[in-house]
Short mmCIF file of all heavy atoms in Angstrom, two decimals:
data_model
loop_
_atom_site.label_atom_id
_atom_site.label_comp_id
_atom_site.label_asym_id
_atom_site.label_seq_id
_atom_site.Cartn_x
_atom_site.Cartn_y
_atom_site.Cartn_z
N GLY A 8 339.54 136.67 -82.00
CA GLY A 8 338.40 135.97 -82.56
C GLY A 8 337.89 134.87 -81.59
O GLY A 8 336.98 134.17 -81.81
N ARG A 9 338.64 134.69 -80.44
CA ARG A 9 338.21 133.61 -79.53
C ARG A 9 337.34 134.18 -78.36
O ARG A 9 336.37 133.38 -77.94
CB ARG A 9 339.40 132.94 -78.93
CG ARG A 9 340.19 132.18 -80.05
CD ARG A 9 341.45 131.66 -79.38
NE ARG A 9 342.38 131.18 -80.40
CZ ARG A 9 342.94 130.05 -80.44
NH1 ARG A 9 342.74 129.19 -79.34
NH2 ARG A 9 343.68 129.69 -81.42
N ASP A 10 337.42 135.44 -78.11
CA ASP A 10 336.68 135.96 -76.92
C ASP A 10 335.58 136.59 -77.28
O ASP A 10 334.54 136.73 -76.60
CB ASP A 10 337.66 136.93 -76.09
CG ASP A 10 338.86 136.12 -75.62
OD1 ASP A 10 338.72 134.90 -75.33
OD2 ASP A 10 339.88 136.79 -75.44
N ILE A 11 335.43 137.12 -78.49
CA ILE A 11 334.27 137.97 -78.98
C ILE A 11 333.92 137.47 -80.47
O ILE A 11 334.68 137.08 -81.15
CB ILE A 11 334.32 139.50 -78.95
CG1 ILE A 11 335.55 139.99 -79.81
CG2 ILE A 11 334.71 139.99 -77.42
CD1 ILE A 11 335.66 141.47 -79.95
N GLU A 12 332.64 137.67 -80.64
CA GLU A 12 332.16 137.45 -82.06
C GLU A 12 331.44 138.82 -82.48
O GLU A 12 330.78 139.45 -81.74
CB GLU A 12 331.16 136.34 -82.15
CG GLU A 12 331.72 134.98 -81.90
CD GLU A 12 332.47 134.38 -83.11
OE1 GLU A 12 332.32 134.88 -84.11
OE2 GLU A 12 333.18 133.46 -82.74
N ILE A 13 331.63 139.17 -83.71
CA ILE A 13 331.07 140.40 -84.20
C ILE A 13 329.99 140.06 -85.24
O ILE A 13 330.16 139.06 -86.01
CB ILE A 13 332.06 141.29 -85.00
CG1 ILE A 13 333.11 141.81 -84.02
CG2 ILE A 13 331.41 142.39 -85.62
CD1 ILE A 13 334.27 142.49 -84.65
N VAL A 14 328.74 140.63 -85.04
CA VAL A 14 327.66 140.34 -85.92
C VAL A 14 327.33 141.64 -86.51
O VAL A 14 327.10 142.70 -85.90
CB VAL A 14 326.47 139.82 -85.23
CG1 VAL A 14 325.32 139.68 -86.26
CG2 VAL A 14 326.72 138.52 -84.64
N SER A 15 327.33 141.76 -87.88
CA SER A 15 327.00 143.00 -88.51
C SER A 15 325.52 143.02 -88.96
O SER A 15 324.93 141.93 -89.10
CB SER A 15 327.94 143.09 -89.84
OG SER A 15 327.61 144.19 -90.63
N CYS A 16 325.05 144.20 -89.16
CA CYS A 16 323.70 144.35 -89.69
C CYS A 16 323.73 145.07 -91.03
O CYS A 16 324.36 146.15 -91.21
CB CYS A 16 322.85 145.14 -88.65
SG CYS A 16 321.18 145.35 -89.12
N ASP A 17 323.10 144.40 -91.89
CA ASP A 17 323.10 144.78 -93.41
C ASP A 17 324.24 144.14 -94.11
O ASP A 17 325.43 144.27 -93.65
CB ASP A 17 322.94 146.26 -93.62
CG ASP A 17 322.18 146.64 -94.92
OD1 ASP A 17 321.71 145.54 -95.42
OD2 ASP A 17 321.95 147.71 -95.23
N ASN A 18 324.08 143.58 -95.16
CA ASN A 18 324.99 142.84 -95.90
C ASN A 18 325.73 143.65 -97.01
O ASN A 18 325.29 143.63 -98.18
CB ASN A 18 324.41 141.54 -96.55
CG ASN A 18 325.38 140.53 -97.02
OD1 ASN A 18 326.45 140.55 -96.66
ND2 ASN A 18 324.95 139.75 -98.05
N ILE A 19 326.57 144.56 -96.58
CA ILE A 19 327.19 145.54 -97.50
C ILE A 19 328.47 144.96 -98.06
O ILE A 19 329.27 144.14 -97.36
CB ILE A 19 327.46 146.80 -96.84
CG1 ILE A 19 328.43 146.66 -95.58
CG2 ILE A 19 326.20 147.56 -96.49
CD1 ILE A 19 328.71 147.95 -94.84
N PRO A 20 328.95 145.31 -99.32
CA PRO A 20 330.15 144.79 -99.85
C PRO A 20 331.34 145.04 -99.21
O PRO A 20 332.42 144.30 -99.16
CB PRO A 20 330.17 145.40 -101.28
CG PRO A 20 328.75 145.77 -101.62
CD PRO A 20 328.08 146.02 -100.24
N ALA A 21 331.36 146.13 -98.35
CA ALA A 21 332.66 146.49 -97.64
C ALA A 21 333.00 145.32 -96.52
O ALA A 21 334.13 145.21 -96.18
CB ALA A 21 332.44 147.87 -96.82
N LEU A 22 332.17 144.52 -96.13
CA LEU A 22 332.36 143.48 -95.27
C LEU A 22 333.28 142.40 -95.86
O LEU A 22 334.00 141.71 -95.10
CB LEU A 22 330.98 142.78 -94.71
CG LEU A 22 330.14 143.78 -93.95
CD1 LEU A 22 328.86 142.95 -93.66
CD2 LEU A 22 330.78 144.18 -92.64
N ASP A 23 333.24 142.30 -97.16
CA ASP A 23 334.08 141.36 -97.83
C ASP A 23 335.58 141.52 -97.52
O ASP A 23 336.38 140.65 -97.63
CB ASP A 23 333.87 141.27 -99.30
CG ASP A 23 332.48 140.74 -99.67
OD1 ASP A 23 331.98 140.07 -98.86
OD2 ASP A 23 331.96 141.18 -100.67
N ALA A 24 335.98 142.90 -97.20
CA ALA A 24 337.35 143.28 -97.00
C ALA A 24 337.84 142.74 -95.57
O ALA A 24 338.99 142.81 -95.35
CB ALA A 24 337.51 144.75 -97.18
N LEU A 25 336.91 142.43 -94.74
CA LEU A 25 337.31 141.99 -93.40
C LEU A 25 337.69 140.67 -93.35
O LEU A 25 337.19 139.69 -94.01
CB LEU A 25 336.11 142.25 -92.39
CG LEU A 25 335.66 143.65 -92.35
CD1 LEU A 25 334.45 143.80 -91.37
CD2 LEU A 25 336.72 144.64 -91.85
N ASP A 26 338.76 140.32 -92.52
CA ASP A 26 339.20 138.94 -92.32
C ASP A 26 339.25 138.59 -90.84
O ASP A 26 340.04 139.13 -90.18
CB ASP A 26 340.47 138.84 -92.93
CG ASP A 26 340.96 137.33 -92.97
OD1 ASP A 26 340.18 136.44 -92.91
OD2 ASP A 26 342.26 137.22 -93.06
N PRO A 27 338.37 137.76 -90.33
CA PRO A 27 337.39 137.08 -90.99
C PRO A 27 336.16 137.91 -91.33
O PRO A 27 335.86 138.81 -90.57
CB PRO A 27 336.98 135.94 -90.09
CG PRO A 27 337.27 136.38 -88.80
CD PRO A 27 338.51 137.38 -88.93
N ARG A 28 335.45 137.54 -92.29
CA ARG A 28 334.24 138.29 -92.63
C ARG A 28 333.10 137.95 -91.63
O ARG A 28 332.94 136.83 -91.32
CB ARG A 28 333.65 137.88 -94.03
CG ARG A 28 332.48 138.61 -94.49
CD ARG A 28 331.91 138.13 -95.97
NE ARG A 28 331.15 139.13 -96.44
CZ ARG A 28 329.75 139.41 -96.10
NH1 ARG A 28 329.33 138.85 -95.10
NH2 ARG A 28 329.10 140.36 -96.76
N PRO A 29 332.50 138.93 -90.96
CA PRO A 29 331.60 138.67 -89.89
C PRO A 29 330.25 138.12 -90.39
O PRO A 29 329.86 138.35 -91.47
CB PRO A 29 331.38 139.97 -89.15
CG PRO A 29 331.65 141.00 -90.27
CD PRO A 29 332.68 140.33 -91.19
N THR A 30 329.64 137.38 -89.46
CA THR A 30 328.26 137.02 -89.75
C THR A 30 327.34 138.23 -89.74
O THR A 30 327.60 139.21 -89.06
CB THR A 30 327.74 136.09 -88.63
OG1 THR A 30 328.52 134.89 -88.65
CG2 THR A 30 326.28 135.73 -88.72
N THR A 31 326.38 138.23 -90.77
CA THR A 31 325.64 139.37 -90.93
C THR A 31 324.14 139.10 -90.88
O THR A 31 323.72 138.14 -91.51
CB THR A 31 326.03 140.05 -92.38
OG1 THR A 31 327.43 140.34 -92.49
CG2 THR A 31 325.37 141.28 -92.71
N ILE A 32 323.46 140.12 -90.41
CA ILE A 32 321.88 140.10 -90.43
C ILE A 32 321.67 141.03 -91.71
O ILE A 32 321.77 142.13 -91.57
CB ILE A 32 321.31 140.61 -89.25
CG1 ILE A 32 321.63 139.71 -88.11
CG2 ILE A 32 319.85 140.62 -89.56
CD1 ILE A 32 321.33 140.37 -86.78
N ASP A 33 321.24 140.33 -92.77
CA ASP A 33 321.02 141.14 -94.04
C ASP A 33 319.50 141.53 -93.96
O ASP A 33 318.53 140.76 -94.14
CB ASP A 33 321.22 140.19 -95.23
CG ASP A 33 320.99 140.81 -96.61
OD1 ASP A 33 320.63 142.07 -96.62
OD2 ASP A 33 321.22 140.21 -97.55
N VAL A 34 319.36 142.90 -93.80
CA VAL A 34 318.00 143.45 -93.71
C VAL A 34 317.29 143.55 -95.20
O VAL A 34 316.20 143.88 -95.26
CB VAL A 34 317.95 144.80 -93.05
CG1 VAL A 34 318.25 144.60 -91.62
CG2 VAL A 34 318.65 145.86 -93.80
N ARG A 35 318.05 143.18 -96.24
CA ARG A 35 317.64 143.30 -97.65
C ARG A 35 317.06 144.53 -98.06
O ARG A 35 315.90 144.62 -98.54
CB ARG A 35 316.58 142.06 -97.77
CG ARG A 35 317.14 140.69 -97.57
CD ARG A 35 316.28 139.64 -97.46
NE ARG A 35 315.67 139.48 -98.84
CZ ARG A 35 314.51 138.82 -99.07
NH1 ARG A 35 313.93 138.23 -98.04
NH2 ARG A 35 313.98 138.84 -100.22
N ALA A 36 317.88 145.55 -97.86
CA ALA A 36 317.48 146.96 -98.19
C ALA A 36 317.08 147.08 -99.65
O ALA A 36 316.08 147.76 -99.98
CB ALA A 36 318.52 147.93 -97.94
N ASP A 37 317.67 146.36 -100.59
CA ASP A 37 317.28 146.40 -101.99
C ASP A 37 315.81 145.97 -102.20
O ASP A 37 315.12 146.41 -102.92
CB ASP A 37 318.29 145.60 -102.86
CG ASP A 37 318.46 144.13 -102.43
OD1 ASP A 37 318.23 143.83 -101.30
OD2 ASP A 37 318.92 143.34 -103.28
N GLU A 38 315.59 144.82 -101.49
CA GLU A 38 314.17 144.22 -101.61
C GLU A 38 313.20 145.24 -100.99
O GLU A 38 312.12 145.41 -101.56
CB GLU A 38 314.11 142.85 -100.99
CG GLU A 38 312.71 142.21 -101.17
CD GLU A 38 312.41 141.87 -102.47
OE1 GLU A 38 313.21 141.74 -103.35
OE2 GLU A 38 311.12 141.52 -102.65
N ILE A 39 313.51 145.86 -99.90
CA ILE A 39 312.57 146.81 -99.30
C ILE A 39 312.33 148.04 -100.27
O ILE A 39 311.14 148.42 -100.36
CB ILE A 39 313.18 147.36 -97.97
CG1 ILE A 39 313.12 146.18 -96.90
CG2 ILE A 39 312.38 148.55 -97.44
CD1 ILE A 39 313.94 146.51 -95.75
N GLY A 40 313.30 148.46 -100.89
CA GLY A 40 313.27 149.60 -101.81
C GLY A 40 312.45 149.23 -103.00
O GLY A 40 311.54 150.05 -103.50
N ARG A 41 312.68 147.95 -103.56
CA ARG A 41 311.84 147.54 -104.71
C ARG A 41 310.46 147.45 -104.29
O ARG A 41 309.54 147.96 -105.13
CB ARG A 41 312.42 146.16 -105.19
CG ARG A 41 311.70 145.71 -106.50
CD ARG A 41 312.19 144.27 -106.89
NE ARG A 41 311.87 143.30 -105.93
CZ ARG A 41 310.60 142.69 -105.86
NH1 ARG A 41 309.67 143.18 -106.60
NH2 ARG A 41 310.28 141.81 -105.01
N ARG A 42 310.10 146.97 -103.28
CA ARG A 42 308.66 146.69 -102.81
C ARG A 42 308.13 148.11 -102.53
O ARG A 42 306.85 148.42 -102.79
CB ARG A 42 308.54 145.91 -101.65
CG ARG A 42 308.76 144.44 -101.99
CD ARG A 42 308.50 143.51 -100.92
NE ARG A 42 308.87 142.02 -101.25
CZ ARG A 42 308.53 141.03 -100.40
NH1 ARG A 42 307.81 141.30 -99.39
NH2 ARG A 42 309.00 139.91 -100.81
N ALA A 43 308.79 149.06 -102.03
CA ALA A 43 308.28 150.48 -101.77
C ALA A 43 307.91 151.10 -103.08
O ALA A 43 306.85 151.78 -103.16
CB ALA A 43 309.38 151.33 -101.06
N VAL A 44 308.81 150.97 -104.06
CA VAL A 44 308.43 151.46 -105.39
C VAL A 44 307.16 150.85 -106.04
O VAL A 44 306.38 151.55 -106.60
CB VAL A 44 309.67 151.47 -106.33
CG1 VAL A 44 309.28 151.71 -107.76
CG2 VAL A 44 310.78 152.21 -105.80
N GLU A 45 307.10 149.56 -105.79
CA GLU A 45 305.81 148.84 -106.36
C GLU A 45 304.61 149.41 -105.62
O GLU A 45 303.63 149.62 -106.34
CB GLU A 45 305.97 147.34 -106.06
CG GLU A 45 306.92 146.61 -107.09
CD GLU A 45 307.06 145.14 -106.68
OE1 GLU A 45 306.55 144.73 -105.60
OE2 GLU A 45 307.95 144.48 -107.28
N GLN A 46 304.71 149.61 -104.24
CA GLN A 46 303.63 150.11 -103.61
C GLN A 46 303.22 151.59 -104.09
O GLN A 46 302.03 151.96 -104.18
CB GLN A 46 303.88 150.19 -102.08
CG GLN A 46 303.88 148.74 -101.44
CD GLN A 46 302.51 148.14 -101.50
OE1 GLN A 46 301.46 148.72 -101.17
NE2 GLN A 46 302.50 146.89 -101.72
N LEU A 47 304.26 152.38 -104.33
CA LEU A 47 304.05 153.74 -104.75
C LEU A 47 303.32 153.74 -106.09
O LEU A 47 302.33 154.40 -106.29
CB LEU A 47 305.37 154.43 -104.86
CG LEU A 47 305.27 155.88 -105.39
CD1 LEU A 47 304.41 156.81 -104.50
CD2 LEU A 47 306.69 156.49 -105.43
N VAL A 48 303.90 152.81 -107.04
CA VAL A 48 303.25 152.86 -108.39
C VAL A 48 301.85 152.33 -108.31
O VAL A 48 300.94 152.87 -108.99
CB VAL A 48 304.13 151.97 -109.32
CG1 VAL A 48 303.37 151.65 -110.65
CG2 VAL A 48 305.43 152.62 -109.63
N TRP A 49 301.49 151.38 -107.42
CA TRP A 49 300.30 150.82 -107.19
C TRP A 49 299.36 151.88 -106.72
O TRP A 49 298.17 152.12 -107.18
CB TRP A 49 300.30 149.57 -106.32
CG TRP A 49 298.96 149.16 -105.80
CD1 TRP A 49 298.16 148.36 -106.65
CD2 TRP A 49 298.37 149.21 -104.57
NE1 TRP A 49 296.88 148.01 -105.87
CE2 TRP A 49 297.11 148.56 -104.60
CE3 TRP A 49 298.69 149.80 -103.40
CZ2 TRP A 49 296.29 148.37 -103.54
CZ3 TRP A 49 297.91 149.69 -102.30
CH2 TRP A 49 296.65 149.05 -102.40
N HIS A 50 299.68 152.74 -105.81
CA HIS A 50 298.93 153.75 -105.19
C HIS A 50 298.69 154.92 -106.33
O HIS A 50 297.66 155.51 -106.34
CB HIS A 50 299.46 154.36 -103.93
CG HIS A 50 298.61 155.36 -103.25
ND1 HIS A 50 297.40 155.11 -102.82
CD2 HIS A 50 298.75 156.76 -103.08
CE1 HIS A 50 296.83 156.18 -102.31
NE2 HIS A 50 297.66 157.18 -102.58
N ILE A 51 299.71 155.18 -107.01
CA ILE A 51 299.61 156.21 -108.06
C ILE A 51 298.50 155.79 -109.04
O ILE A 51 297.75 156.63 -109.51
CB ILE A 51 300.94 156.58 -108.81
CG1 ILE A 51 301.72 157.33 -107.68
CG2 ILE A 51 300.73 157.28 -110.08
CD1 ILE A 51 303.17 157.49 -108.21
N ASN A 52 298.45 154.52 -109.41
CA ASN A 52 297.60 154.04 -110.39
C ASN A 52 296.18 153.81 -109.88
O ASN A 52 295.11 153.78 -110.63
CB ASN A 52 298.05 152.66 -110.95
CG ASN A 52 299.29 152.86 -111.82
OD1 ASN A 52 299.46 153.85 -112.53
ND2 ASN A 52 300.04 151.75 -111.92
N ASP A 53 296.00 153.67 -108.48
CA ASP A 53 294.72 153.70 -107.90
C ASP A 53 294.68 154.53 -106.64
O ASP A 53 294.84 154.12 -105.50
CB ASP A 53 294.40 152.25 -107.50
CG ASP A 53 292.98 151.93 -107.00
OD1 ASP A 53 292.18 152.97 -106.80
OD2 ASP A 53 292.70 150.78 -106.59
N ARG A 54 294.37 155.77 -106.84
CA ARG A 54 294.43 156.76 -105.73
C ARG A 54 293.43 156.56 -104.56
O ARG A 54 293.46 157.07 -103.51
CB ARG A 54 294.32 158.14 -106.29
CG ARG A 54 295.39 158.54 -107.17
CD ARG A 54 295.67 159.98 -106.93
NE ARG A 54 296.81 160.29 -107.88
CZ ARG A 54 298.06 160.56 -107.51
NH1 ARG A 54 298.38 160.71 -106.22
NH2 ARG A 54 298.90 160.87 -108.42
N ASN A 55 292.36 155.75 -105.02
CA ASN A 55 291.39 155.33 -103.87
C ASN A 55 291.80 154.03 -103.05
O ASN A 55 291.11 153.66 -102.18
CB ASN A 55 289.98 155.01 -104.57
CG ASN A 55 289.51 156.26 -105.27
OD1 ASN A 55 289.61 157.39 -104.67
ND2 ASN A 55 288.94 156.13 -106.38
N ALA A 56 292.90 153.48 -103.34
CA ALA A 56 293.38 152.26 -102.61
C ALA A 56 293.79 152.73 -101.33
O ALA A 56 294.19 153.80 -100.99
CB ALA A 56 294.61 151.76 -103.45
N PRO A 57 293.57 151.84 -100.39
CA PRO A 57 293.95 152.14 -98.88
C PRO A 57 295.46 152.30 -98.69
O PRO A 57 296.20 151.71 -99.45
CB PRO A 57 293.48 151.02 -98.09
CG PRO A 57 293.30 149.87 -99.10
CD PRO A 57 292.97 150.55 -100.36
N LEU A 58 295.88 153.18 -97.88
CA LEU A 58 297.26 153.41 -97.60
C LEU A 58 297.92 152.59 -96.53
O LEU A 58 299.05 152.62 -96.26
CB LEU A 58 297.52 154.93 -97.22
CG LEU A 58 297.16 155.94 -98.39
CD1 LEU A 58 297.23 157.40 -97.79
CD2 LEU A 58 298.09 155.73 -99.45
N ASN A 59 297.06 151.76 -95.86
CA ASN A 59 297.60 150.96 -94.75
C ASN A 59 298.00 149.55 -95.15
O ASN A 59 297.98 148.64 -94.44
CB ASN A 59 296.44 150.89 -93.70
CG ASN A 59 295.28 150.27 -94.09
OD1 ASN A 59 295.12 149.96 -95.34
ND2 ASN A 59 294.33 150.11 -93.35
N VAL A 60 298.56 149.43 -96.29
CA VAL A 60 299.12 148.15 -96.80
C VAL A 60 300.37 147.96 -96.24
O VAL A 60 301.29 148.82 -96.21
CB VAL A 60 299.13 148.24 -98.41
CG1 VAL A 60 299.81 146.82 -98.93
CG2 VAL A 60 297.81 148.36 -99.10
N MET A 61 300.58 146.67 -95.60
CA MET A 61 301.89 146.41 -95.02
C MET A 61 302.61 145.35 -95.90
O MET A 61 301.97 144.33 -96.26
CB MET A 61 301.75 145.90 -93.59
CG MET A 61 302.92 145.64 -92.91
SD MET A 61 302.80 144.97 -91.26
CE MET A 61 301.96 146.31 -90.38
N THR A 62 303.90 145.50 -96.16
CA THR A 62 304.62 144.41 -96.82
C THR A 62 305.79 144.08 -95.86
O THR A 62 306.53 144.99 -95.33
CB THR A 62 305.17 145.08 -98.15
OG1 THR A 62 304.18 145.60 -98.90
CG2 THR A 62 306.01 144.01 -98.93
N LEU A 63 305.89 142.85 -95.60
CA LEU A 63 307.08 142.36 -94.79
C LEU A 63 308.08 141.73 -95.67
O LEU A 63 307.93 140.99 -96.62
CB LEU A 63 306.52 141.34 -93.90
CG LEU A 63 305.42 141.76 -92.94
CD1 LEU A 63 304.92 140.52 -92.09
CD2 LEU A 63 305.84 142.88 -92.02
N VAL A 64 309.40 142.07 -95.28
CA VAL A 64 310.59 141.51 -95.99
C VAL A 64 311.37 140.87 -94.91
O VAL A 64 311.89 141.50 -93.85
CB VAL A 64 311.42 142.56 -96.60
CG1 VAL A 64 312.67 141.94 -97.24
CG2 VAL A 64 310.56 143.27 -97.68
N GLU A 65 311.48 139.56 -94.87
CA GLU A 65 312.16 138.79 -93.81
C GLU A 65 313.69 138.91 -94.03
O GLU A 65 314.19 138.73 -95.16
CB GLU A 65 311.80 137.32 -93.87
CG GLU A 65 312.33 136.55 -92.87
CD GLU A 65 311.86 135.01 -92.86
OE1 GLU A 65 310.80 134.84 -93.47
OE2 GLU A 65 312.43 134.21 -92.18
N PRO A 66 314.31 139.31 -92.91
CA PRO A 66 315.87 139.29 -92.97
C PRO A 66 316.49 138.02 -93.15
O PRO A 66 315.80 137.01 -92.93
CB PRO A 66 316.33 139.96 -91.66
CG PRO A 66 315.07 139.73 -90.68
CD PRO A 66 313.89 139.57 -91.58
N ARG A 67 317.70 138.03 -93.64
CA ARG A 67 318.42 136.70 -93.79
C ARG A 67 319.74 136.61 -93.00
O ARG A 67 320.41 137.72 -92.80
CB ARG A 67 318.85 136.40 -95.18
CG ARG A 67 317.64 136.12 -96.12
CD ARG A 67 318.13 135.80 -97.49
NE ARG A 67 318.37 137.05 -98.13
CZ ARG A 67 318.37 137.28 -99.52
NH1 ARG A 67 318.27 136.32 -100.21
NH2 ARG A 67 318.67 138.37 -100.02
N LEU A 68 320.07 135.66 -92.45
CA LEU A 68 321.34 135.42 -91.79
C LEU A 68 322.38 134.94 -92.75
O LEU A 68 322.22 133.97 -93.39
CB LEU A 68 321.23 134.47 -90.57
CG LEU A 68 322.50 134.26 -89.71
CD1 LEU A 68 322.76 135.58 -88.98
CD2 LEU A 68 322.27 133.17 -88.77
N VAL A 69 323.60 135.64 -92.84
CA VAL A 69 324.58 135.34 -93.80
C VAL A 69 325.72 135.04 -92.88
O VAL A 69 326.33 135.91 -92.21
CB VAL A 69 324.95 136.56 -94.75
CG1 VAL A 69 326.10 136.10 -95.66
CG2 VAL A 69 323.74 136.98 -95.51
N LEU A 70 326.04 133.68 -92.77
CA LEU A 70 327.24 133.33 -92.00
C LEU A 70 328.56 133.71 -92.57
O LEU A 70 328.70 133.80 -93.81
CB LEU A 70 327.29 131.74 -91.91
CG LEU A 70 325.96 131.08 -91.19
CD1 LEU A 70 326.17 129.65 -91.19
CD2 LEU A 70 325.92 131.67 -89.76
N GLY A 71 329.35 134.28 -91.68
CA GLY A 71 330.65 134.84 -92.05
C GLY A 71 331.67 133.62 -92.06
O GLY A 71 331.36 132.48 -92.27
N ASP A 72 332.96 134.10 -92.04
CA ASP A 72 334.08 133.19 -92.20
C ASP A 72 334.52 132.61 -90.72
O ASP A 72 335.60 131.90 -90.81
CB ASP A 72 335.21 133.84 -92.80
CG ASP A 72 334.99 134.29 -94.29
OD1 ASP A 72 334.12 133.72 -94.90
OD2 ASP A 72 335.51 135.34 -94.65
N GLU A 73 333.81 132.90 -89.80
CA GLU A 73 334.31 132.32 -88.41
C GLU A 73 334.40 130.89 -88.39
O GLU A 73 333.36 130.15 -88.88
CB GLU A 73 333.30 132.91 -87.28
CG GLU A 73 333.31 134.37 -87.16
CD GLU A 73 332.12 134.99 -87.88
OE1 GLU A 73 331.39 134.22 -88.54
OE2 GLU A 73 331.97 136.20 -87.92
N THR A 74 335.32 130.33 -87.67
CA THR A 74 335.35 128.86 -87.56
C THR A 74 334.27 128.42 -86.43
O THR A 74 333.96 127.26 -86.49
CB THR A 74 336.71 128.46 -87.21
OG1 THR A 74 337.14 129.19 -85.98
CG2 THR A 74 337.67 128.73 -88.33
N ASN A 75 333.96 129.35 -85.48
CA ASN A 75 333.09 129.00 -84.47
C ASN A 75 331.90 129.86 -84.50
O ASN A 75 331.88 130.99 -83.80
CB ASN A 75 333.68 129.04 -83.02
CG ASN A 75 334.82 128.02 -83.00
OD1 ASN A 75 334.60 126.91 -83.30
ND2 ASN A 75 336.07 128.50 -82.53
N PRO A 76 330.79 129.82 -85.42
CA PRO A 76 329.64 130.70 -85.51
C PRO A 76 329.06 130.80 -84.04
O PRO A 76 329.18 129.98 -83.25
CB PRO A 76 328.79 130.07 -86.48
CG PRO A 76 329.45 128.80 -86.87
CD PRO A 76 330.65 128.66 -86.17
N ILE A 77 328.43 131.94 -83.93
CA ILE A 77 327.73 132.25 -82.66
C ILE A 77 326.70 131.14 -82.35
O ILE A 77 325.99 130.71 -83.28
CB ILE A 77 327.06 133.62 -82.71
CG1 ILE A 77 328.19 134.73 -82.94
CG2 ILE A 77 326.18 133.89 -81.51
CD1 ILE A 77 327.55 136.08 -83.08
N GLN A 78 326.64 130.74 -81.12
CA GLN A 78 325.71 129.66 -80.79
C GLN A 78 324.27 130.18 -80.92
O GLN A 78 323.99 131.30 -80.59
CB GLN A 78 325.87 129.24 -79.34
CG GLN A 78 327.27 128.57 -79.11
CD GLN A 78 327.50 127.45 -79.78
OE1 GLN A 78 326.60 126.53 -79.83
NE2 GLN A 78 328.63 127.19 -80.35
N GLY A 79 323.43 129.30 -81.58
CA GLY A 79 322.09 129.66 -81.64
C GLY A 79 321.73 130.39 -83.09
O GLY A 79 320.60 130.44 -83.38
N LEU A 80 322.71 130.92 -83.69
CA LEU A 80 322.37 131.69 -84.98
C LEU A 80 322.60 130.70 -86.17
O LEU A 80 322.21 130.93 -87.18
CB LEU A 80 323.36 133.00 -85.09
CG LEU A 80 322.96 133.97 -84.17
CD1 LEU A 80 323.95 135.21 -84.35
CD2 LEU A 80 321.60 134.52 -84.40
N ALA A 81 323.53 129.67 -86.07
CA ALA A 81 323.84 128.84 -87.21
C ALA A 81 322.85 127.70 -87.23
O ALA A 81 322.31 127.28 -86.27
CB ALA A 81 325.34 128.48 -87.19
#
């Protein structure tokens, strides 16, 4: 844990089993899925609506159990 730091991508429950739990970039897949379904329902209800609607979901940084978090991320 002194020479390297591990950063995971996506905040999955399996990471809780790691010791120390790594810092994670949570892409928020559940939120992306929810918004995709909302867009689909919106388009089904209004078939003339444009298809080029963009929805952004900002990722979150979830700090792990490291005693020395990666410089610049914390």
Side-chain angles (χ1 to χ4, degrees):
R9 294 174 192 228
D10 296 331
I11 61 172
E12 294 282 346
I13 296 173
V14 176
S15 175
C16 185
D17 212 1
N18 194 23
I19 58 174
L22 296 174
D23 292 335
L25 300 177
D26 186 24
R28 188 184 195 288
T30 295
T31 304
I32 300 168
D33 184 0
V34 297
R35 300 175 58 199
D37 56 337
E38 181 68 13
I39 292 170
R41 186 182 66 74
R42 291 190 185 185
V44 169
E45 288 175 356
Q46 289 291 322
L47 178 61
V48 169
W49 174 71
H50 184 67
I51 288 171
N52 290 332
D53 185 359
R54 298 220 182 245
N55 294 324
L58 293 175
N59 59 355
V60 176
M61 182 183 298
T62 302
L63 300 176
V64 177
E65 187 173 339
R67 289 185 282 202
L68 183 65
V69 179
L70 295 179
D72 297 332
E73 298 94 2
T74 55
N75 298 314
I77 298 172
Q78 298 296 321
L80 288 180

